Amino acid sequence: MARELTPEDHSVKLELLQLLARQGRRMPYPVGLSAVVIAAMAAPRLPLWVTVGWVALVFAVLALRWVLLGRLPAMQQVAVDKRLQWAVGLSLLNGLVFTLSLAFAPYMSDYQRMVQTLLLLGLCAGAVASTAGNAPVFRAFLVPLTLANSLAWLVGGAHGLGWEDWALSLLILGFGLILAGLARDTYRVFVESVLIRQQQVKSNQQLRLALSQAEQAMLAKTRFLASASHDLRQPMHTLSLFGAALEMRQLDKPTAEIAVNMNLALRSLSSQMDALLDISKLDAQVVPVHNQAIALKPWLTRLYQEFLPMAQRKHLRLTLLCQPAAWVESDPVLLERVVRNLLDNAVKYTQAGEVVIEVTEGDEVWIIEVRDTGAGIAEHEQARVFEEFYQIGNPERDRNKGLGLGLSIVSRLVDLLDLHLELRSVQGLGSSFKLSIAATEAGSAVSAPSGGMPELSLPPLRVLVIDDEEPVRLAMQALLSAHGCEVVGASGTREGLLKSMAARPDIALVDYRLRAGEDGIAAVRSLRSAVPELPAVLISGDTAPERLREAHAAGLILLHKPVSQEQLVAAMHAALTAAYPHDGPGI
């Protein structure tokens, strides 16, 4: 009973058939040339039809091998072992045909016989590679040809049988045995290489599957975060608007303190949500870079003064060392975010000692170094601190220590600004972050955004609010009414169009995600078809990167929920100014 082939054996034999098919198309050229040379040496002493007939037979066998070996790999309906038997038969036929050439030996000189022997042994040596050393295929060619070649020298030449003939006969047999051993090793290497390639293919398939699963998990995480962010931002947005409206009311002192503390808690939660938004913005590549000349001394002094109370509360020394001649070229807003995050981490994670901001001059750069005497970062942790949501020393996930996004944002911003950031830290001795920024000549001083409160007053405006959430519309009405605005609410685009045609609004505040498949960008386009050049502000709780790109491409002012009173008023001022640069409605 025939042994059932394992998948490995089957694949090795298929690979062997493909090799034999390739070699069957390559070997006719050297083999045919060898046959012509042998026939040419014997031709002067034999009838022409004998040598020509033998050469014709050789080429016929080569043509047969060309055709049949080339077809064997594709003959899936035939068992692989059966196809290999046919390959063995073709190899035996080829060996027997060349064995017939030894009948020419008695009609050749000793020199010609030696040439013939070398040619036949060369064909046997070449067969090791052309058959991959497979024993049945290789031996079917080697055995008859080697035995006949050895016996041909024992027949003796024109001068009878001498010791040289015996020696050559034995050497031919010995060479045949050596080739057999070499073929065995060659086939073992061939099998190992096939199995290794199969393992690589299998590993690659597993890696591709794992990569696909990881990508799907990442997409699922992105969708989950976007949905969760949107769903969480909606009630936070409503609370923020109601809280701002509440603070504007005349309240007794205890109630006013409650309102203030409630709004502080909302701002803290909002800042953590904004950190997630910053990651989405940077991943969406919608953050523009506007490089300008920056005087570092006044720029860093403002940040120093901002963080000084926080450091003093923790009894830390906060020191700023900067030369007045330090000027760099970068985006002041984005660069401030980088330095602010580094300072915030340094003060937050240093329990005793000092935090130093030092600016030193390098080779065509100025280096801003933020160093501290905090707990430091272990060497194996230093690469991971730039990952999202990774924090050292916060296993309980204390929200007062943030979400672990600060350094991740820093890393992305450093890449965006084409800066160099170097981290050096020793556990227990503190950390140092060095930021290298291109130096520039002194020019018009640019300070970072002051972070001061924008103008909170609004002129009397007719404001159209389109949002499918009624609590949001009511909260907008409560807040904007306190500013003396007339608020008209609509739950969708159609209702908003009807109310706009009844009485033209001065500005529209439109939610990005509306019901019935509508979106805020399309809603603004529809409103502007009825009310040309209508100022509009888009408000979104959706932080998915593709949504961010769409809003950016539409050229709309985009606010992300929860929106503070300051952000809302500033955005409305900006939209009105852009639409009516020459003292338009209420400006």
Side-chain angles (χ1 to χ4, degrees):
M1 185 175 179
R3 181 177 66 89
E4 186 177 352
L5 286 178
T6 65
E8 290 79 10
D9 290 339
H10 188 269
S11 59
V12 168
K13 291 182 178 181
L14 282 178
E15 188 77 20
L16 177 62
L17 286 175
Q18 292 171 357
L19 173 68
L20 294 174
R22 291 194 299 272
Q23 297 299 337
R25 287 171 168 78
R26 295 171 184 167
M27 296 308 293
Y29 304 105
V31 173
L33 181 60
S34 300
V36 170
V37 172
I38 293 172
M41 291 189 297
R45 298 180 180 84
L46 288 171
L48 184 61
W49 67 268
V50 174
T51 53
V52 171
W54 178 75
V55 170
L57 181 61
V58 169
F59 278 94
V61 171
L62 291 175
L64 182 64
R65 282 167 51 83
W66 178 301
V67 174
L68 291 183
L69 287 178
R71 292 181 179 176
L72 286 180
M75 298 172 66
Q76 302 293 336
Q77 70 280 9
V78 180
V80 67
D81 281 338
K82 187 68 173 179
R83 284 179 277 169
L84 273 178
Q85 289 175 6
W86 293 349
V88 171
L90 290 171
S91 183
L92 177 62
L93 180 60
N94 195 30
L96 292 175
V97 169
F98 272 93
T99 299
L100 291 177
S101 70
L102 293 168
F104 303 156
Y107 303 98
M108 296 179 180
S109 65
D110 288 345
Y111 172 75
Q112 290 173 330
R113 291 177 66 195
M114 186 67 69
V115 172
Q116 180 190 34
T117 296
L118 291 175
L119 287 173
L120 295 178
L121 291 177
L123 292 177
C124 292
V128 174
S130 63
T131 63
N134 178 260
V137 181
F138 174 67
R139 290 174 186 171
F141 180 80
L142 175 72
V143 172
L145 192 55
T146 303
L147 290 177
N149 201 359
S150 176
L151 290 173
W153 283 98
L154 294 180
V155 172
H159 305 291
L161 185 64
W163 70 269
E164 298 94 343
D165 301 307
W166 281 100
L168 282 172
S169 177
L170 292 175
L171 285 173
I172 291 170
L173 288 176
F175 186 70
L177 291 174
I178 291 172
L179 289 180
L182 180 61
R184 184 172 55 253
D185 294 339
T186 301
Y187 188 68
R188 184 173 62 251
V189 172
F190 170 78
V191 172
E192 290 175 355
S193 68
V194 171
L195 294 179
I196 289 172
R197 285 200 303 273
Q198 284 183 337
Q199 186 60 42
Q200 287 177 336
V201 170
K202 185 177 180 180
S203 298
N204 289 339
Q205 290 174 342
Q206 292 174 342
L207 286 173
R208 283 194 293 269
L209 178 61
L211 179 60
S212 175
Q213 291 174 341
E215 289 174 346
Q216 291 174 2
M218 184 63 69
L219 289 173
K221 185 193 79 170
T222 301
R223 288 193 298 269
F224 169 77
L225 285 176
S227 298
S229 173
H230 178 272
D231 294 343
L232 287 172
R233 285 172 181 271
Q234 285 290 94
M236 285 173 58
H237 177 55
T238 305
L239 282 173
S240 178
L241 296 175
F242 275 127
L246 184 61
E247 275 193 287
M248 296 182 69
R249 300 294 177 92
Q250 294 295 327
L251 304 172
D252 58 75
K253 187 175 179 180
T255 307
E257 289 179 357
I258 292 173
V260 169
N261 289 328
M262 180 185 72
N263 285 329
L264 285 175
L266 283 171
R267 289 192 186 98
S268 174
L269 186 55
S270 176
S271 67
Q272 295 183 3
M273 296 292 288
D274 286 342
L276 289 171
L277 177 62
D278 286 335
I279 292 288
S280 296
K281 281 183 177 179
L282 291 167
D283 288 342
Q285 298 178 347
V286 298
V287 179
V289 177
H290 303 293
N291 287 337
Q292 303 176 49
I294 307 171
L296 288 182
K297 182 68 182 272
W299 189 82
L300 288 172
T301 298
R302 187 187 59 77
L303 284 176
Y304 166 81
Q305 292 171 346
E306 181 180 332
F307 279 89
L308 185 59
M310 179 179 174
Q312 290 175 339
R313 284 195 297 270
K314 297 186 68 175
H315 305 291
L316 301 175
R317 292 190 306 275
L318 182 62
T319 306
L320 172 62
L321 303 172
C322 181
Q323 302 176 36
W327 283 73
V328 296
E329 183 177 2
S330 188
D331 185 306
V333 176
L334 301 180
L335 183 61
E336 181 191 14
R337 188 65 191 271
V338 173
V339 179
R340 182 186 295 276
N341 280 1
L342 293 177
L343 269 174
D344 183 66
N345 272 3
V347 175
K348 186 184 298 179
Y349 292 105
T350 301
Q351 303 306 321
E354 66 176 349
V355 175
V356 179
I357 313 162
E358 183 175 7
V359 179
T360 55
E361 189 173 5
D363 185 13
E364 298 184 354
V365 297
W366 286 96
I367 301 170
I368 300 177
E369 180 182 8
V370 178
R371 65 178 181 268
D372 60 64
T373 56
I377 306 170
E379 187 174 353
H380 68 278
E381 302 264 24
Q382 291 180 14
R384 296 201 62 192
V385 295
F386 294 98
E387 298 176 4
E388 297 94 335
F389 307 107
Y390 187 78
Q391 290 179 296
I392 298 174
N394 189 18
E396 71 279 7
R397 302 302 297 177
D398 180 2
R399 67 175 182 273
N400 292 323
K401 296 181 180 179
L403 295 174
L405 292 174
L407 289 180
S408 177
I409 293 172
V410 165
S411 177
R412 286 167 164 83
L413 287 173
V414 164
D415 290 339
L416 181 65
L417 295 172
D418 196 21
L419 306 179
H420 176 70
L421 180 65
E422 179 184 357
L423 164 62
R424 291 184 180 178
S425 184
V426 178
Q427 195 166 14
L429 297 179
S431 304
S432 166
F433 290 85
K434 290 185 177 181
L435 190 66
S436 300
I437 314 168
T440 188
E441 298 294 330
S444 300
V446 174
S447 61
S450 64
M453 300 293 284
E455 175 60 45
L456 287 181
S457 63
L458 279 173
L461 296 170
R462 182 179 175 84
V463 183
L464 173 65
V465 177
I466 300 181
D467 197 299
D468 56 357
E469 297 280 347
E470 185 177 5
V472 174
R473 298 197 300 271
L474 293 175
M476 280 286 191
Q477 185 173 21
L479 176 59
L480 294 176
S481 295
H483 283 274
C485 297
E486 179 187 355
V487 180
V488 178
S491 61
T493 305
R494 185 173 181 277
E495 185 180 353
L497 278 170
L498 292 174
K499 292 185 176 181
S500 297
M501 288 186 287
R504 177 189 174 102
D506 295 315
I507 189 170
L509 306 179
V510 185
D511 186 31
Y512 178 86
R513 184 184 291 183
L514 301 171
R515 290 178 184 152
E518 297 179 342
D519 68 76
I521 297 174
V524 171
R525 293 195 185 104
S526 299
L527 289 172
R528 285 176 174 173
S529 66
V531 184
E533 300 181 358
L534 174 67
V537 176
L538 193 66
I539 302 175
S540 174
D542 193 339
T543 62
E546 56 271 21
R547 300 290 85 79
L548 295 170
R549 281 191 286 268
E550 290 172 7
H552 183 74
L556 292 171
I557 295 175
L558 178 63
L559 296 178
H560 287 89
K561 301 175 181 179
V563 177
S564 68
Q565 177 183 202
E566 296 84 358
Q567 291 173 322
L568 180 64
V569 172
M572 291 174 69
H573 273 288
L576 289 166
T577 301
Y580 307 111
H582 302 293
D583 298 333
I587 302 297

